Amino acid sequence: MRTIILSFFLIPFFLFAAEVKSYDFVVAKDGTGNFTTIQDAIDAVPDFRKKETEIYIKNGTYREKIILPGSKQFVTLVGEDKFKTIISYDDYAQKKNRFGEEMGTSGSASFYCYGDDFTAINLSFENLGRPWRPYAKVIFMHCNLPKFIEDKGWHNWGKESNEKTAYFAEYKNKGAGSMSQNRVKWSCLLTDREADSLNFQRVFKDWVPNLTFDR
């Protein structure tokens, strides 16, 4: 009888243990992981490693300006929850660096990715970016737009010809900055049908991400 009871309790334990996913590094703001910042975890990845390095990031907002160097290859970031694991920063082009100079657009990025075969899964990059060049195509959907967003919403970069080639659209946004009825006339409001037609294949065309590994 004792043997039967012992087996009854051990079997669920082994089944549970087999389902636990192991990662190379764990990042947690509360100190329960290997690192408290994502950058520290990236820095710990061996240079030019030929195998995938998986970094698990626990929930939290990580206010970091992150650089993935070219020597860090096959790095995968896996968030605990796509809505609660957030990488965020708030630089902008006119912000001054330590020398009192404007950092410019290229210097204001939140995440610089130079390493090959980088993958991000189940997390959010939070940073209010901008469309670029005459053929930019940008759609804001289901976003919370704060009040500092100007009513007109979009700018043609001083060239009216850009209005004919760029495509700026919105769909069911909320917040004080989402007053889309005041937007510039050459921007668009998506219909329900247009929004429903936006899927992975239409946005990324023939690009096929490497999602064969188990999560």
Side-chain angles (χ1 to χ4, degrees), residues 41-52:
I42 289 175
D43 292 343
V45 176
D47 290 334
F48 303 105
R49 189 180 186 215
K50 302 302 182 184
K51 296 181 179 180
E52 181 187 27

Side-chain angles (χ1 to χ4, degrees), residues 143-157:
C143 295
N144 185 13
L145 303 180
K147 63 181 180 180
F148 57 74
I149 301 295
E150 294 186 15
D151 286 348
K152 61 183 180 180
W154 308 98
H155 193 271
N156 62 13
W157 294 91

Side-chain angles (χ1 to χ4, degrees), residues 199-215:
N199 53 37
F200 187 92
Q201 287 73 27
R202 185 172 181 188
V203 175
F204 293 100
K205 300 191 182 300
D206 58 353
W207 178 64
V208 179
N210 177 19
L211 297 178
T212 58
F213 35 77
D214 181 33
R215 292 294 172 224

Side-chain angles (χ1 to χ4, degrees), residues 1 11 14 35 37 58 70 76 82 121 127 133 154 164 187-188:
M1 184 65 178
I11 290 174
F14 285 125
F35 305 96
T37 69
K58 292 189 176 181
T76 297
K82 63 183 177 181
I121 299 173
N127 46 272
R133 304 296 182 184
W154 308 98
K164 299 178 181 180
S187 66
C188 303

Side-chain angles (χ1 to χ4, degrees), residues 43-205:
D43 292 343
V45 176
D47 290 334
F48 303 105
R49 189 180 186 215
K50 302 302 182 184
K51 296 181 179 180
E52 181 187 27
T53 303
E54 296 181 295
I55 301 174
Y56 183 72
I57 307 172
K58 292 189 176 181
N59 287 341
T61 299
Y62 295 82
R63 294 199 74 258
E64 303 182 45
K65 198 174 177 75
I66 298 172
I67 300 175
L68 181 75
S71 61
K72 310 295 184 180
Q73 304 171 346
F74 302 102
V75 173
T76 297
L77 303 183
V78 183
E80 182 178 357
D81 184 289
K82 63 183 177 181
F83 296 115
K84 298 179 181 178
T85 308
I86 302 170
I87 299 174
S88 179
Y89 213 73
D90 59 357
D91 276 348
Y92 51 93
Q94 288 76 33
K95 189 174 182 178
K96 301 295 194 300
N97 61 23
R98 65 180 62 188
F99 299 107
E101 306 158 341
E102 291 187 356
M103 60 176 53
T105 300
S106 59
S108 65
S110 301
F111 179 54
Y112 295 89
C113 181
Y114 302 108
D116 291 340
D117 295 284
F118 168 75
T119 303
I121 299 173
N122 210 41
L123 54 83
S124 296
F125 288 89
E126 179 187 80
N127 46 272
L128 284 160
R130 61 182 180 179
W132 191 255
R133 304 296 182 184
Y135 293 93
K137 190 170 186 177
V138 180
I139 301 174
F140 281 82
M141 301 176 65
H142 303 293
C143 295
N144 185 13
L145 303 180
K147 63 181 180 180
F148 57 74
I149 301 295
E150 294 186 15
D151 286 348
K152 61 183 180 180
W154 308 98
H155 193 271
N156 62 13
W157 294 91
K159 292 184 178 181
E160 290 187 8
S161 59
N162 291 342
E163 299 176 10
K164 299 178 181 180
T165 54
Y167 180 82
F168 302 150
E170 299 176 65
Y171 180 74
K172 290 189 176 180
N173 295 316
K174 62 182 180 179
S178 64
M179 304 299 290
S180 53
Q181 65 268 23
N182 298 323
R183 296 293 192 250
V184 293
K185 294 181 180 179
W186 47 276
S187 66
C188 303
L189 281 177
L190 297 184
T191 64
D192 291 339
R193 184 176 181 179
E194 289 171 329
D196 290 341
S197 70
L198 292 175
N199 53 37
F200 187 92
Q201 287 73 27
R202 185 172 181 188
V203 175
F204 293 100
K205 300 191 182 300

